[in-house]
Structures are given as structure tokens and as C-alpha cells.
Amino acid sequence: MKVWVIGVGLAVMVAALAACESNATNQDAAKPAGGTTPAEMQVGEAKFTATCAACHGVRGVGTKQGPPLVHKIYEPNHHADMAFQRAAENGVRAHHWEFGNMPKIEGVTSGDVEHIIRYVRWLQREAGIY
């Protein structure tokens, strides 16, 4: 009886982990609204396009090289703004996705990342994530 309970518990845990992982890499999880980027977000958009979009996609929807940032897993309650700062400064070991490790981003200042964060948070709000 105990073996059966342990087996069921393990199966539930594996299924939950698989669901978490598939949600983190689901490129269709949330799409930012189309349209014009507000003037106050255009600096962040330009910096994002220049330094992040190659992997994270135009408007943060992800690519085969990197996960979507317009995804509930990157909402502020799960990944605070400081996590984005640390990611750019130090890189990130893969933990929510199957894309491999993210390298640190050379030549990007903390001020640049602040503009990028504001832009990504705007995209997330437009997509209804928070």
C-alpha cells in the first residue's frame, strides 16, 4: 500500500513539473497587444530590440533561442525587476526553460536595463499578465 501511495505521489509531482516546464516554454502563453508603442516606452523598445530581441523575440514573445518574457512566469511577483538587472549583468543558468544558459549582456548599462524593464512590464500589462 505504501509503495502505491509513493508511486502515485511521484507521478503527480512529475506531471506538475512537466506542466510548469511546458508553461515556461509555451510561446503562445501570452501575446502583447499590437499597435503603437507609447512615446515613453520607445527608448526601452529600441534597447530591447538591439540587445534582447534576437533571443527573446520582437515584443518579447520568445524565439527558438530564448523564452518569451511576455509570460506569467516573468511577472513581477515571480521575477522582480532586479532579476532582469542580474540577468543582464551576470547571465542566467537555465532553470525555467530548455534554451540553455543566458550569457551576460556586454555593453548594457543598468540604466539601459531599467528602460528595457519598463518596456517589458508595459508589454506584460498589455497582454493582461498583471
PDB file of all heavy atoms in Angstrom, residues 14-36:
ATOM      1  N   VAL A  14       5.847  14.584 -10.924  1.00  0.00           N
ATOM      2  CA  VAL A  14       6.432  14.637 -12.266  1.00  0.00           C
ATOM      3  C   VAL A  14       5.494  15.365 -13.224  1.00  0.00           C
ATOM      4  O   VAL A  14       5.924  16.195 -14.023  1.00  0.00           O
ATOM      5  CB  VAL A  14       6.773  13.223 -12.781  1.00  0.00           C
ATOM      6  CG1 VAL A  14       7.092  13.234 -14.263  1.00  0.00           C
ATOM      7  CG2 VAL A  14       7.936  12.649 -11.992  1.00  0.00           C
ATOM      8  N   ALA A  15       4.208  15.084 -13.144  1.00  0.00           N
ATOM      9  CA  ALA A  15       3.235  15.756 -14.011  1.00  0.00           C
ATOM     10  C   ALA A  15       3.209  17.255 -13.733  1.00  0.00           C
ATOM     11  O   ALA A  15       3.146  18.067 -14.658  1.00  0.00           O
ATOM     12  CB  ALA A  15       1.848  15.152 -13.811  1.00  0.00           C
ATOM     13  N   ALA A  16       3.277  17.637 -12.463  1.00  0.00           N
ATOM     14  CA  ALA A  16       3.270  19.057 -12.113  1.00  0.00           C
ATOM     15  C   ALA A  16       4.519  19.752 -12.637  1.00  0.00           C
ATOM     16  O   ALA A  16       4.451  20.863 -13.174  1.00  0.00           O
ATOM     17  CB  ALA A  16       3.163  19.227 -10.593  1.00  0.00           C
ATOM     18  N   LEU A  17       5.672  19.117 -12.491  1.00  0.00           N
ATOM     19  CA  LEU A  17       6.908  19.705 -13.012  1.00  0.00           C
ATOM     20  C   LEU A  17       6.862  19.838 -14.522  1.00  0.00           C
ATOM     21  O   LEU A  17       7.295  20.841 -15.088  1.00  0.00           O
ATOM     22  CB  LEU A  17       8.113  18.864 -12.580  1.00  0.00           C
ATOM     23  CG  LEU A  17       8.499  18.971 -11.115  1.00  0.00           C
ATOM     24  CD1 LEU A  17       9.567  17.944 -10.780  1.00  0.00           C
ATOM     25  CD2 LEU A  17       8.972  20.369 -10.778  1.00  0.00           C
ATOM     26  N   ALA A  18       6.336  18.840 -15.193  1.00  0.00           N
ATOM     27  CA  ALA A  18       6.225  18.900 -16.655  1.00  0.00           C
ATOM     28  C   ALA A  18       5.299  20.036 -17.069  1.00  0.00           C
ATOM     29  O   ALA A  18       5.576  20.752 -18.033  1.00  0.00           O
ATOM     30  CB  ALA A  18       5.721  17.564 -17.199  1.00  0.00           C
ATOM     31  N   ALA A  19       4.214  20.216 -16.341  1.00  0.00           N
ATOM     32  CA  ALA A  19       3.283  21.302 -16.665  1.00  0.00           C
ATOM     33  C   ALA A  19       3.951  22.653 -16.469  1.00  0.00           C
ATOM     34  O   ALA A  19       3.794  23.563 -17.280  1.00  0.00           O
ATOM     35  CB  ALA A  19       2.027  21.199 -15.800  1.00  0.00           C
ATOM     36  N   CYS A  20       4.712  22.801 -15.396  1.00  0.00           N
ATOM     37  CA  CYS A  20       5.440  24.045 -15.144  1.00  0.00           C
ATOM     38  C   CYS A  20       6.407  24.323 -16.278  1.00  0.00           C
ATOM     39  O   CYS A  20       6.488  25.431 -16.785  1.00  0.00           O
ATOM     40  CB  CYS A  20       6.229  23.942 -13.842  1.00  0.00           C
ATOM     41  SG  CYS A  20       5.508  24.853 -12.497  1.00  0.00           S
ATOM     42  N   GLU A  21       7.171  23.315 -16.659  1.00  0.00           N
ATOM     43  CA  GLU A  21       8.172  23.484 -17.710  1.00  0.00           C
ATOM     44  C   GLU A  21       7.508  23.813 -19.037  1.00  0.00           C
ATOM     45  O   GLU A  21       7.951  24.678 -19.758  1.00  0.00           O
ATOM     46  CB  GLU A  21       9.032  22.228 -17.840  1.00  0.00           C
ATOM     47  CG  GLU A  21      10.200  22.399 -18.778  1.00  0.00           C
ATOM     48  CD  GLU A  21      11.222  23.419 -18.294  1.00  0.00           C
ATOM     49  OE1 GLU A  21      11.328  23.653 -17.096  1.00  0.00           O
ATOM     50  OE2 GLU A  21      11.909  23.994 -19.156  1.00  0.00           O
ATOM     51  N   SER A  22       6.400  23.137 -19.368  1.00  0.00           N
ATOM     52  CA  SER A  22       5.760  23.417 -20.647  1.00  0.00           C
ATOM     53  C   SER A  22       5.160  24.814 -20.651  1.00  0.00           C
ATOM     54  O   SER A  22       5.165  25.476 -21.668  1.00  0.00           O
ATOM     55  CB  SER A  22       4.690  22.366 -20.959  1.00  0.00           C
ATOM     56  OG  SER A  22       3.599  22.491 -20.090  1.00  0.00           O
ATOM     57  N   ASN A  23       4.660  25.298 -19.512  1.00  0.00           N
ATOM     58  CA  ASN A  23       4.148  26.659 -19.458  1.00  0.00           C
ATOM     59  C   ASN A  23       5.262  27.672 -19.653  1.00  0.00           C
ATOM     60  O   ASN A  23       5.078  28.693 -20.277  1.00  0.00           O
ATOM     61  CB  ASN A  23       3.454  26.929 -18.114  1.00  0.00           C
ATOM     62  CG  ASN A  23       2.086  26.314 -18.049  1.00  0.00           C
ATOM     63  OD1 ASN A  23       1.496  26.000 -19.064  1.00  0.00           O
ATOM     64  ND2 ASN A  23       1.589  26.125 -16.844  1.00  0.00           N
ATOM     65  N   ALA A  24       6.442  27.391 -19.114  1.00  0.00           N
ATOM     66  CA  ALA A  24       7.553  28.329 -19.227  1.00  0.00           C
ATOM     67  C   ALA A  24       8.045  28.448 -20.655  1.00  0.00           C
ATOM     68  O   ALA A  24       8.574  29.478 -21.039  1.00  0.00           O
ATOM     69  CB  ALA A  24       8.703  27.894 -18.322  1.00  0.00           C
ATOM     70  N   THR A  25       7.883  27.428 -21.449  1.00  0.00           N
ATOM     71  CA  THR A  25       8.373  27.472 -22.821  1.00  0.00           C
ATOM     72  C   THR A  25       7.248  27.618 -23.834  1.00  0.00           C
ATOM     73  O   THR A  25       7.492  27.604 -25.022  1.00  0.00           O
ATOM     74  CB  THR A  25       9.192  26.211 -23.139  1.00  0.00           C
ATOM     75  OG1 THR A  25       8.377  25.072 -22.959  1.00  0.00           O
ATOM     76  CG2 THR A  25      10.430  26.121 -22.264  1.00  0.00           C
ATOM     77  N   ASN A  26       6.033  27.766 -23.389  1.00  0.00           N
ATOM     78  CA  ASN A  26       4.891  27.907 -24.283  1.00  0.00           C
ATOM     79  C   ASN A  26       4.905  29.294 -24.892  1.00  0.00           C
ATOM     80  O   ASN A  26       4.576  30.268 -24.252  1.00  0.00           O
ATOM     81  CB  ASN A  26       3.585  27.678 -23.505  1.00  0.00           C
ATOM     82  CG  ASN A  26       2.370  27.827 -24.379  1.00  0.00           C
ATOM     83  OD1 ASN A  26       2.458  28.127 -25.565  1.00  0.00           O
ATOM     84  ND2 ASN A  26       1.211  27.626 -23.791  1.00  0.00           N
ATOM     85  N   GLN A  27       5.274  29.375 -26.144  1.00  0.00           N
ATOM     86  CA  GLN A  27       5.388  30.648 -26.829  1.00  0.00           C
ATOM     87  C   GLN A  27       4.022  31.315 -27.030  1.00  0.00           C
ATOM     88  O   GLN A  27       3.962  32.497 -27.300  1.00  0.00           O
ATOM     89  CB  GLN A  27       6.071  30.438 -28.180  1.00  0.00           C
ATOM     90  CG  GLN A  27       7.393  29.734 -28.063  1.00  0.00           C
ATOM     91  CD  GLN A  27       8.567  30.683 -28.069  1.00  0.00           C
ATOM     92  OE1 GLN A  27       8.465  31.768 -28.594  1.00  0.00           O
ATOM     93  NE2 GLN A  27       9.661  30.287 -27.484  1.00  0.00           N
ATOM     94  N   ASP A  28       2.944  30.566 -26.913  1.00  0.00           N
ATOM     95  CA  ASP A  28       1.621  31.129 -27.125  1.00  0.00           C
ATOM     96  C   ASP A  28       0.938  31.521 -25.823  1.00  0.00           C
ATOM     97  O   ASP A  28      -0.243  31.848 -25.820  1.00  0.00           O
ATOM     98  CB  ASP A  28       0.737  30.113 -27.860  1.00  0.00           C
ATOM     99  CG  ASP A  28       1.285  29.809 -29.243  1.00  0.00           C
ATOM    100  OD1 ASP A  28       1.760  30.750 -29.899  1.00  0.00           O
ATOM    101  OD2 ASP A  28       1.250  28.640 -29.652  1.00  0.00           O
ATOM    102  N   ALA A  29       1.644  31.502 -24.720  1.00  0.00           N
ATOM    103  CA  ALA A  29       1.037  31.759 -23.416  1.00  0.00           C
ATOM    104  C   ALA A  29       0.404  33.137 -23.342  1.00  0.00           C
ATOM    105  O   ALA A  29      -0.668  33.293 -22.809  1.00  0.00           O
ATOM    106  CB  ALA A  29       2.072  31.585 -22.314  1.00  0.00           C
ATOM    107  N   ALA A  30       1.062  34.155 -23.841  1.00  0.00           N
ATOM    108  CA  ALA A  30       0.507  35.500 -23.820  1.00  0.00           C
ATOM    109  C   ALA A  30       1.123  36.296 -24.956  1.00  0.00           C
ATOM    110  O   ALA A  30       2.306  36.181 -25.220  1.00  0.00           O
ATOM    111  CB  ALA A  30       0.811  36.183 -22.485  1.00  0.00           C
ATOM    112  N   LYS A  31       0.309  37.045 -25.610  1.00  0.00           N
ATOM    113  CA  LYS A  31       0.796  37.881 -26.703  1.00  0.00           C
ATOM    114  C   LYS A  31       0.516  39.337 -26.344  1.00  0.00           C
ATOM    115  O   LYS A  31      -0.601  39.678 -25.977  1.00  0.00           O
ATOM    116  CB  LYS A  31       0.086  37.551 -28.014  1.00  0.00           C
ATOM    117  CG  LYS A  31       0.293  36.127 -28.478  1.00  0.00           C
ATOM    118  CD  LYS A  31       1.690  35.887 -28.955  1.00  0.00           C
ATOM    119  CE  LYS A  31       1.808  34.497 -29.515  1.00  0.00           C
ATOM    120  NZ  LYS A  31       3.129  34.005 -29.600  1.00  0.00           N
ATOM    121  N   PRO A  32       1.528  40.190 -26.451  1.00  0.00           N
ATOM    122  CA  PRO A  32       1.267  41.598 -26.197  1.00  0.00           C
ATOM    123  C   PRO A  32       0.367  42.159 -27.287  1.00  0.00           C
ATOM    124  O   PRO A  32       0.371  41.661 -28.409  1.00  0.00           O
ATOM    125  CB  PRO A  32       2.650  42.241 -26.239  1.00  0.00           C
ATOM    126  CG  PRO A  32       3.481  41.309 -27.037  1.00  0.00           C
ATOM    127  CD  PRO A  32       2.891  39.929 -26.830  1.00  0.00           C
ATOM    128  N   ALA A  33      -0.381  43.157 -26.931  1.00  0.00           N
ATOM    129  CA  ALA A  33      -1.251  43.796 -27.906  1.00  0.00           C
ATOM    130  C   ALA A  33      -0.402  44.443 -28.993  1.00  0.00           C
ATOM    131  O   ALA A  33       0.697  44.921 -28.734  1.00  0.00           O
ATOM    132  CB  ALA A  33      -2.116  44.849 -27.215  1.00  0.00           C
ATOM    133  N   GLY A  34      -0.895  44.422 -30.187  1.00  0.00           N
ATOM    134  CA  GLY A  34      -0.196  45.087 -31.273  1.00  0.00           C
ATOM    135  C   GLY A  34      -0.426  46.582 -31.187  1.00  0.00           C
ATOM    136  O   GLY A  34      -1.030  47.078 -30.252  1.00  0.00           O
ATOM    137  N   GLY A  35       0.034  47.274 -32.145  1.00  0.00           N
ATOM    138  CA  GLY A  35      -0.202  48.709 -32.155  1.00  0.00           C
ATOM    139  C   GLY A  35       1.059  49.495 -31.855  1.00  0.00           C
ATOM    140  O   GLY A  35       2.161  48.961 -31.791  1.00  0.00           O
ATOM    141  N   THR A  36       0.844  50.760 -31.647  1.00  0.00           N
ATOM    142  CA  THR A  36       1.948  51.686 -31.453  1.00  0.00           C
ATOM    143  C   THR A  36       2.440  51.662 -30.023  1.00  0.00           C
ATOM    144  O   THR A  36       1.652  51.681 -29.080  1.00  0.00           O
ATOM    145  CB  THR A  36       1.483  53.113 -31.810  1.00  0.00           C
ATOM    146  OG1 THR A  36       0.960  53.093 -33.134  1.00  0.00           O
ATOM    147  CG2 THR A  36       2.628  54.092 -31.741  1.00  0.00           C
TER     148      THR A  36
END
